[in-house]
Amino acid sequence: MSDALRTRHGKTLSLVIPMHDEAPVLDLLFQRLDETLGGLGVQLEIVCVDDGSRDDTWARLQARAARDPRLRLIGLSRNFGKEAALTAGLEMCRGDMVAPLDADLQDPPELIAEFISLWEQGYDVVYGVRADRSSDTRAKRWSAGAFYQLFNVVADQAIPASTGDFRLMDRAVVEALKRLPERNRFMKGLFAWVGFRQVGVPYTRPLRAAGSSSWPYRRLFRFALDGMTSFSTAPLRVWTLVGVGSAVVALLAALAIVIRVLVVGRDVPGYASLMVVILFAFALQMIALGVLGEYIGRMYQEVKGRPIYLVRDRVGFD
Ligand code: UDP
Ligand code: MG
Protein backbone atom coordinates (compact mmCIF):
# COMPACT_ATOMS: atom_id res chain seq x y z
CA MET A 1 0.00 0.00 0.00
CA SER A 2 1.17 3.48 -0.77
CA ASP A 3 0.96 5.29 2.54
CA ALA A 4 2.29 2.45 4.65
CA LEU A 5 3.46 4.91 7.26
CA ARG A 6 0.10 5.31 8.91
CA THR A 7 0.39 4.83 12.61
CA ARG A 8 -2.06 4.47 15.43
CA HIS A 9 0.23 6.45 17.67
CA GLY A 10 -1.59 9.45 19.12
CA LYS A 11 -4.75 8.60 17.18
CA THR A 12 -8.28 8.31 18.50
CA LEU A 13 -10.62 5.41 17.82
CA SER A 14 -14.34 6.13 18.03
CA LEU A 15 -16.70 3.28 18.73
CA VAL A 16 -20.22 4.05 17.62
CA ILE A 17 -22.77 1.86 19.37
CA PRO A 18 -26.49 2.14 18.54
CA MET A 19 -28.66 0.91 21.40
CA HIS A 20 -32.31 0.05 21.57
CA ASP A 21 -33.45 -1.53 24.83
CA GLU A 22 -29.99 -2.84 25.62
CA ALA A 23 -29.97 -2.39 29.41
CA PRO A 24 -29.43 -6.13 30.09
CA VAL A 25 -26.22 -6.21 28.08
CA LEU A 26 -24.56 -2.91 29.08
CA ASP A 27 -22.41 -4.21 31.95
CA LEU A 28 -21.16 -7.11 29.85
CA LEU A 29 -20.48 -4.80 26.94
CA PHE A 30 -18.33 -2.31 28.82
CA GLN A 31 -16.49 -5.07 30.63
CA ARG A 32 -15.57 -6.68 27.30
CA LEU A 33 -14.59 -3.35 25.81
CA ASP A 34 -12.26 -2.67 28.72
CA GLU A 35 -10.72 -6.13 28.47
CA THR A 36 -10.08 -5.97 24.76
CA LEU A 37 -9.43 -2.35 23.91
CA GLY A 38 -7.27 -1.25 26.82
CA GLY A 39 -3.99 -2.37 25.27
CA LEU A 40 -4.55 -1.13 21.74
CA GLY A 41 -2.38 1.97 22.07
CA VAL A 42 -5.05 4.36 20.85
CA GLN A 43 -7.26 6.88 22.59
CA LEU A 44 -10.83 5.71 22.90
CA GLU A 45 -14.05 7.60 22.38
CA ILE A 46 -17.20 5.56 22.96
CA VAL A 47 -20.24 7.12 21.35
CA CYS A 48 -23.44 5.45 22.55
CA VAL A 49 -26.61 6.34 20.69
CA ASP A 50 -29.78 5.59 22.61
CA ASP A 51 -32.35 4.94 19.91
CA GLY A 52 -35.49 5.61 21.92
CA SER A 53 -35.08 2.78 24.41
CA ARG A 54 -38.06 2.11 26.67
CA ASP A 55 -36.00 0.43 29.38
CA ASP A 56 -33.38 2.14 31.57
CA THR A 57 -30.59 2.08 28.98
CA TRP A 58 -30.29 5.88 29.08
CA ALA A 59 -30.19 6.14 32.87
CA ARG A 60 -27.51 3.48 33.06
CA LEU A 61 -25.47 5.13 30.34
CA GLN A 62 -25.65 8.45 32.15
CA ALA A 63 -24.48 6.93 35.40
CA ARG A 64 -21.56 5.37 33.57
CA ALA A 65 -20.66 8.54 31.68
CA ALA A 66 -20.37 10.40 34.96
CA ARG A 67 -17.45 8.13 35.87
CA ASP A 68 -15.97 7.46 32.46
CA PRO A 69 -14.74 10.44 30.40
CA ARG A 70 -14.36 8.29 27.27
CA LEU A 71 -18.12 8.02 26.98
CA ARG A 72 -20.22 10.37 24.89
CA LEU A 73 -23.96 9.89 24.80
CA ILE A 74 -26.55 10.82 22.23
CA GLY A 75 -30.19 10.27 23.12
CA LEU A 76 -32.56 10.31 20.15
CA SER A 77 -36.05 11.74 20.69
CA ARG A 78 -37.69 8.41 19.76
CA ASN A 79 -36.89 5.12 18.06
CA PHE A 80 -35.61 6.06 14.60
CA GLY A 81 -34.13 2.65 13.72
CA LYS A 82 -30.58 1.36 13.77
CA GLU A 83 -29.56 3.04 10.51
CA ALA A 84 -30.57 6.47 11.78
CA ALA A 85 -28.89 5.87 15.15
CA LEU A 86 -25.68 4.89 13.39
CA THR A 87 -25.89 7.99 11.23
CA ALA A 88 -26.22 10.17 14.33
CA GLY A 89 -23.16 8.53 15.88
CA LEU A 90 -21.08 8.80 12.73
CA GLU A 91 -21.93 12.46 12.36
CA MET A 92 -20.96 13.34 15.91
CA CYS A 93 -17.94 11.14 16.56
CA ARG A 94 -14.50 12.67 16.23
CA GLY A 95 -12.02 9.81 16.00
CA ASP A 96 -9.38 9.32 13.33
CA MET A 97 -10.72 5.80 13.01
CA VAL A 98 -14.37 4.93 13.52
CA ALA A 99 -15.86 1.52 14.26
CA PRO A 100 -19.62 0.92 14.46
CA LEU A 101 -20.43 -1.91 16.83
CA ASP A 102 -23.59 -3.74 17.92
CA ALA A 103 -24.32 -3.39 21.62
CA ASP A 104 -25.12 -7.09 22.05
CA LEU A 105 -21.50 -8.21 21.49
CA GLN A 106 -22.38 -9.98 18.26
CA ASP A 107 -19.57 -7.94 16.74
CA PRO A 108 -16.59 -9.22 18.77
CA PRO A 109 -14.46 -6.22 19.85
CA GLU A 110 -11.38 -8.52 19.88
CA LEU A 111 -11.33 -8.14 16.11
CA ILE A 112 -10.66 -4.42 16.30
CA ALA A 113 -6.96 -4.99 17.00
CA GLU A 114 -6.64 -6.72 13.64
CA PHE A 115 -8.75 -4.02 11.98
CA ILE A 116 -6.34 -1.37 13.22
CA SER A 117 -3.30 -3.28 11.94
CA LEU A 118 -4.86 -3.43 8.50
CA TRP A 119 -5.72 0.25 8.71
CA GLU A 120 -2.05 0.95 9.46
CA GLN A 121 -1.18 -1.00 6.32
CA GLY A 122 -3.17 1.54 4.35
CA TYR A 123 -6.69 0.15 4.10
CA ASP A 124 -9.38 2.78 4.59
CA VAL A 125 -12.18 0.35 5.36
CA VAL A 126 -11.70 -2.97 7.14
CA TYR A 127 -14.99 -4.84 7.39
CA GLY A 128 -15.97 -8.00 9.23
CA VAL A 129 -17.25 -10.90 7.13
CA ARG A 130 -19.52 -13.38 8.91
CA ALA A 131 -17.79 -16.61 8.01
CA ASP A 132 -20.20 -18.79 9.94
CA ARG A 133 -23.75 -17.69 10.49
CA SER A 134 -24.81 -20.70 12.53
CA SER A 135 -25.92 -18.34 15.30
CA ASP A 136 -28.74 -17.14 13.01
CA THR A 137 -31.88 -19.18 12.39
CA ARG A 138 -32.09 -21.11 9.12
CA ALA A 139 -34.88 -18.93 7.81
CA LYS A 140 -32.82 -15.83 8.50
CA ARG A 141 -29.71 -17.24 6.83
CA TRP A 142 -31.68 -18.33 3.80
CA SER A 143 -33.46 -15.02 3.39
CA ALA A 144 -30.23 -13.08 3.90
CA GLY A 145 -28.47 -15.22 1.27
CA ALA A 146 -31.29 -14.72 -1.21
CA PHE A 147 -31.27 -11.01 -0.54
CA TYR A 148 -27.53 -10.55 -1.19
CA GLN A 149 -27.72 -12.53 -4.42
CA LEU A 150 -30.67 -10.59 -5.75
CA PHE A 151 -29.22 -7.31 -4.55
CA ASN A 152 -25.91 -7.85 -6.28
CA VAL A 153 -27.63 -8.79 -9.54
CA VAL A 154 -29.79 -5.69 -9.72
CA ALA A 155 -27.92 -3.03 -7.74
CA ASP A 156 -25.53 -0.53 -9.26
CA GLN A 157 -23.02 -1.11 -6.46
CA ALA A 158 -22.45 -4.66 -5.19
CA ILE A 159 -22.08 -5.22 -1.46
CA PRO A 160 -19.81 -8.01 -0.20
CA ALA A 161 -21.94 -10.94 1.02
CA SER A 162 -22.36 -11.56 4.75
CA THR A 163 -21.08 -8.22 5.90
CA GLY A 164 -22.87 -6.15 8.49
CA ASP A 165 -22.16 -2.72 9.83
CA PHE A 166 -19.21 -4.00 11.87
CA ARG A 167 -16.07 -2.41 10.41
CA LEU A 168 -13.33 0.13 10.95
CA MET A 169 -13.25 3.24 8.79
CA ASP A 170 -10.73 5.97 8.27
CA ARG A 171 -11.86 9.52 9.02
CA ALA A 172 -11.86 10.29 5.27
CA VAL A 173 -14.48 7.58 4.71
CA VAL A 174 -16.66 8.92 7.51
CA GLU A 175 -16.46 12.40 6.02
CA ALA A 176 -17.52 10.93 2.67
CA LEU A 177 -20.48 9.19 4.32
CA LYS A 178 -21.52 12.44 5.95
CA ARG A 179 -21.92 13.96 2.50
CA LEU A 180 -24.64 11.47 1.51
CA PRO A 181 -27.82 13.32 2.38
CA GLU A 182 -30.43 10.65 1.66
CA ARG A 183 -33.05 9.89 4.24
CA ASN A 184 -33.19 6.27 3.26
CA ARG A 185 -30.17 5.06 5.18
CA PHE A 186 -29.30 1.62 3.90
CA MET A 187 -25.89 1.71 5.58
CA LYS A 188 -24.43 -1.46 4.05
CA GLY A 189 -25.15 0.02 0.63
CA LEU A 190 -23.77 3.44 1.54
CA PHE A 191 -20.63 1.85 3.00
CA ALA A 192 -20.02 0.04 -0.29
CA TRP A 193 -20.96 3.03 -2.43
CA VAL A 194 -18.27 5.35 -1.05
CA GLY A 195 -15.52 3.00 -2.17
CA PHE A 196 -11.92 3.62 -0.91
CA ARG A 197 -9.47 0.80 -0.25
CA GLN A 198 -11.50 -1.93 1.42
CA VAL A 199 -10.61 -5.32 2.84
CA GLY A 200 -12.64 -8.01 4.64
CA VAL A 201 -11.74 -10.01 7.75
CA PRO A 202 -13.70 -13.24 8.37
CA TYR A 203 -15.09 -13.92 11.84
CA THR A 204 -17.64 -16.13 13.50
CA ARG A 205 -20.70 -14.30 14.70
CA PRO A 206 -21.57 -15.29 18.26
CA LEU A 207 -25.05 -15.33 19.78
CA ARG A 208 -26.49 -12.20 21.31
CA ALA A 209 -24.93 -11.84 24.80
CA ALA A 210 -28.20 -10.84 26.53
CA GLY A 211 -31.50 -9.11 25.82
CA SER A 212 -33.44 -9.73 22.62
CA SER A 213 -33.26 -8.76 18.97
CA SER A 214 -35.23 -5.72 17.84
CA TRP A 215 -35.70 -6.90 14.27
CA PRO A 216 -38.98 -8.69 13.67
CA TYR A 217 -39.37 -10.19 10.20
CA ARG A 218 -41.73 -7.43 9.11
CA ARG A 219 -38.98 -4.94 9.80
CA LEU A 220 -36.32 -7.01 8.05
CA PHE A 221 -38.52 -7.20 4.96
CA ARG A 222 -38.97 -3.42 4.94
CA PHE A 223 -35.21 -3.11 5.36
CA ALA A 224 -34.50 -5.37 2.39
CA LEU A 225 -36.98 -3.45 0.24
CA ASP A 226 -35.41 -0.14 1.27
CA GLY A 227 -31.98 -1.43 0.34
CA MET A 228 -33.09 -2.75 -3.00
CA THR A 229 -34.98 0.35 -4.08
CA SER A 230 -32.40 2.85 -2.92
CA PHE A 231 -29.58 1.17 -4.82
CA SER A 232 -31.31 -0.06 -7.94
CA THR A 233 -33.88 1.11 -10.44
CA ALA A 234 -34.05 -2.34 -12.04
CA PRO A 235 -37.46 -3.13 -10.47
CA LEU A 236 -38.72 0.03 -12.13
CA ARG A 237 -37.21 -0.63 -15.53
CA VAL A 238 -38.14 -4.30 -15.77
CA TRP A 239 -41.79 -3.36 -16.34
CA THR A 240 -40.99 -1.78 -19.68
CA LEU A 241 -39.58 -5.12 -20.79
CA VAL A 242 -42.51 -7.07 -19.38
CA GLY A 243 -44.91 -4.66 -21.09
CA VAL A 244 -43.20 -4.97 -24.47
CA GLY A 245 -43.04 -8.75 -24.07
CA SER A 246 -46.74 -9.11 -23.31
CA ALA A 247 -47.63 -6.72 -26.12
CA VAL A 248 -45.73 -8.89 -28.59
CA VAL A 249 -47.43 -12.05 -27.28
CA ALA A 250 -50.86 -10.35 -27.43
CA LEU A 251 -50.22 -9.22 -31.02
CA LEU A 252 -49.18 -12.70 -32.13
CA ALA A 253 -52.25 -14.17 -30.44
CA ALA A 254 -54.52 -11.64 -32.18
CA LEU A 255 -52.93 -12.44 -35.52
CA ALA A 256 -53.38 -16.18 -34.96
CA ILE A 257 -57.06 -15.67 -34.07
CA VAL A 258 -57.76 -13.55 -37.16
CA ILE A 259 -56.07 -16.04 -39.45
CA ARG A 260 -57.95 -18.88 -37.79
CA VAL A 261 -61.31 -17.12 -38.24
CA LEU A 262 -60.48 -16.42 -41.91
CA VAL A 263 -59.35 -19.98 -42.60
CA VAL A 264 -61.51 -22.24 -40.41
CA GLY A 265 -64.40 -19.92 -39.66
CA ARG A 266 -65.81 -18.57 -36.41
CA ASP A 267 -64.63 -20.30 -33.25
CA VAL A 268 -66.63 -21.18 -30.14
CA PRO A 269 -66.67 -18.04 -27.96
CA GLY A 270 -63.61 -18.41 -25.68
CA TYR A 271 -64.87 -17.12 -22.38
CA ALA A 272 -62.28 -18.92 -20.23
CA SER A 273 -59.24 -17.90 -22.20
CA LEU A 274 -60.50 -14.33 -22.29
CA MET A 275 -60.82 -14.21 -18.51
CA VAL A 276 -57.34 -15.63 -18.08
CA VAL A 277 -55.83 -12.97 -20.30
CA ILE A 278 -57.74 -10.15 -18.61
CA LEU A 279 -56.82 -11.30 -15.11
CA PHE A 280 -53.21 -11.76 -16.04
CA ALA A 281 -52.96 -8.32 -17.57
CA PHE A 282 -54.70 -6.84 -14.54
CA ALA A 283 -52.25 -8.51 -12.17
CA LEU A 284 -49.29 -7.21 -14.16
CA GLN A 285 -50.65 -3.69 -14.02
CA MET A 286 -51.16 -3.88 -10.29
CA ILE A 287 -47.61 -5.10 -9.72
CA ALA A 288 -46.23 -2.37 -11.94
CA LEU A 289 -48.27 0.23 -10.07
CA GLY A 290 -47.01 -1.16 -6.77
CA VAL A 291 -43.41 -0.83 -7.92
CA LEU A 292 -44.03 2.74 -9.02
CA GLY A 293 -45.61 3.39 -5.64
CA GLU A 294 -42.52 2.11 -3.81
CA TYR A 295 -40.29 4.54 -5.65
CA ILE A 296 -42.67 7.48 -5.50
CA GLY A 297 -43.10 6.88 -1.76
CA ARG A 298 -39.35 7.07 -1.34
CA MET A 299 -39.11 10.20 -3.44
CA TYR A 300 -41.78 11.73 -1.22
CA GLN A 301 -39.69 10.85 1.84
CA GLU A 302 -36.63 12.48 0.34
CA VAL A 303 -38.46 15.55 -0.95
CA LYS A 304 -39.90 16.31 2.47
CA GLY A 305 -36.30 16.62 3.59
CA ARG A 306 -36.99 15.79 7.21
CA PRO A 307 -33.95 15.22 9.40
CA ILE A 308 -32.81 11.59 9.67
CA TYR A 309 -33.01 11.72 13.48
CA LEU A 310 -33.75 14.17 16.27
CA VAL A 311 -31.57 14.51 19.34
CA ARG A 312 -33.25 14.73 22.73
CA ASP A 313 -30.16 14.85 24.89
CA ARG A 314 -26.38 14.86 24.62
CA VAL A 315 -23.78 14.08 27.24
CA GLY A 316 -20.04 14.65 26.94
CA PHE A 317 -20.04 16.87 23.84
CA ASP A 318 -18.82 20.42 24.37
N1 UDP B 1 -30.81 -1.17 17.30
C1 UDP B 1 -31.10 0.19 17.30
N2 UDP B 1 -32.37 0.59 16.93
C2 UDP B 1 -33.33 -0.29 16.57
C3 UDP B 1 -33.01 -1.68 16.54
C4 UDP B 1 -31.73 -2.08 16.91
O1 UDP B 1 -30.27 1.02 17.62
O2 UDP B 1 -34.44 0.14 16.27
C5 UDP B 1 -29.44 -1.61 17.69
C6 UDP B 1 -29.41 -2.66 18.77
O3 UDP B 1 -29.45 -2.07 20.05
C7 UDP B 1 -28.09 -3.35 18.51
C8 UDP B 1 -27.96 -3.28 17.00
O4 UDP B 1 -28.83 -2.22 16.58
O5 UDP B 1 -27.00 -2.66 19.09
C9 UDP B 1 -28.33 -4.59 16.33
O6 UDP B 1 -29.65 -4.93 16.70
P1 UDP B 1 -30.09 -6.41 17.03
O7 UDP B 1 -29.06 -7.11 17.84
O8 UDP B 1 -31.47 -6.31 17.62
O9 UDP B 1 -30.17 -7.02 15.57
P2 UDP B 1 -29.73 -8.49 15.08
O10 UDP B 1 -28.35 -8.73 15.61
O11 UDP B 1 -30.74 -9.39 15.66
O12 UDP B 1 -29.78 -8.38 13.61
MG1 MG C 1 -27.76 -8.60 17.47
Side-chain angles (χ1 to χ4, degrees):
M1 296 271 107
S2 51
D3 39 352
L5 292 175
R6 248 187 209 167
T7 168
R8 69 183 73 184
H9 189 70
K11 298 283 166 47
T12 304
L13 166 68
S14 297
L15 301 179
V16 175
I17 316 181
M19 297 180 177
H20 179 244
D21 292 345
E22 298 287 5
V25 85
L26 284 186
D27 287 336
L28 270 170
L29 170 68
F30 287 105
Q31 191 194 333
R32 266 283 278 290
L33 290 182
D34 282 335
E35 283 168 13
T36 53
L37 304 179
L40 282 184
V42 292
Q43 305 254 52
L44 265 190
E45 173 193 61
I46 307 177
V47 180
C48 300
V49 187
D50 174 25
D51 186 18
S53 297
R54 292 153 300 181
D55 62 5
D56 57 349
T57 299
W58 182 254
R60 289 200 192 196
L61 283 175
Q62 270 188 314
R64 204 171 267 282
R67 299 180 258 124
D68 188 344
R70 299 170 307 173
L71 244 62
R72 286 186 216 291
L73 311 182
I74 305 168
L76 302 187
S77 64
R78 63 171 171 83
N79 179 242
F80 281 90
K82 181 186 178 186
E83 316 291 295
L86 252 182
T87 303
L90 290 177
E91 279 178 5
M92 295 186 214
C93 70
R94 295 187 292 213
D96 307 291
M97 296 163 258
V98 180
L101 198 75
D102 278 4
D104 58 9
L105 290 169
Q106 285 195 282
D107 301 332
E110 288 78 12
L111 230 62
I112 291 178
E114 194 178 339
F115 285 3
I116 295 182
S117 303
L118 284 161
W119 173 84
E120 280 182 318
Q121 288 172 33
Y123 290 104
D124 302 305
V125 180
V126 188
Y127 55 86
V129 181
R130 298 168 191 174
D132 159 27
R133 296 188 60 134
S134 54
S135 64
D136 284 330
T137 63
R138 252 169 91 173
K140 191 161 177 179
R141 263 180 291 163
W142 183 84
S143 53
F147 171 74
Y148 282 117
Q149 277 196 348
L150 190 60
F151 186 94
N152 288 341
V153 168
V154 301
D156 317 321
Q157 181 60 56
I159 47 180
S162 296
T163 57
D165 300 323
F166 185 37
R167 61 193 57 229
L168 182 119
M169 292 175 282
D170 186 70
R171 169 60 33 193
V173 178
V174 178
E175 290 304 318
L177 283 171
K178 280 160 74 172
R179 288 178 50 201
L180 307 183
E182 56 227 82
R183 259 111 275 283
N184 237 312
R185 311 297 294 179
F186 185 64
M187 292 308 269
K188 284 186 239 256
L190 300 182
F191 285 149
W193 186 88
V194 294
F196 290 90
R197 279 160 297 189
Q198 307 211 2
V199 64
V201 174
Y203 72 102
T204 304
R205 197 157 201 249
L207 285 171
R208 184 175 243 289
S212 57
S213 171
S214 316
W215 291 83
Y217 271 104
R218 196 162 34 83
R219 197 163 178 180
L220 275 176
F221 181 70
R222 222 25 286 148
F223 182 63
L225 206 61
D226 275 345
M228 213 58 105
T229 46
S230 48
F231 280 87
S232 166
T233 48
L236 212 48
R237 291 188 313 252
V238 77
W239 295 104
T240 319
L241 277 180
V242 173
V244 171
S246 17
V248 168
V249 171
L251 210 73
L252 289 179
L255 215 69
I257 291 168
V258 168
I259 290 171
R260 211 182 132 102
V261 168
L262 289 180
V263 177
V264 221
R266 188 177 284 277
D267 204 354
V268 188
Y271 173 73
S273 55
L274 207 62
M275 277 316 275
V276 169
V277 171
I278 289 174
L279 285 177
F280 181 66
F282 181 72
L284 276 188
Q285 287 181 39
M286 282 300 135
I287 297 171
L289 276 179
V291 172
L292 283 176
E294 287 292 333
Y295 280 91
I296 291 173
R298 276 166 183 75
M299 277 188 225
Y300 180 54
Q301 294 276 335
E302 299 289 338
V303 161
K304 277 190 291 187
R306 289 193 183 149
I308 297 165
Y309 57 87
L310 287 177
V311 175
R312 177 200 67 224
D313 225 342
R314 296 208 281 181
V315 175
F317 294 90
D318 357 278

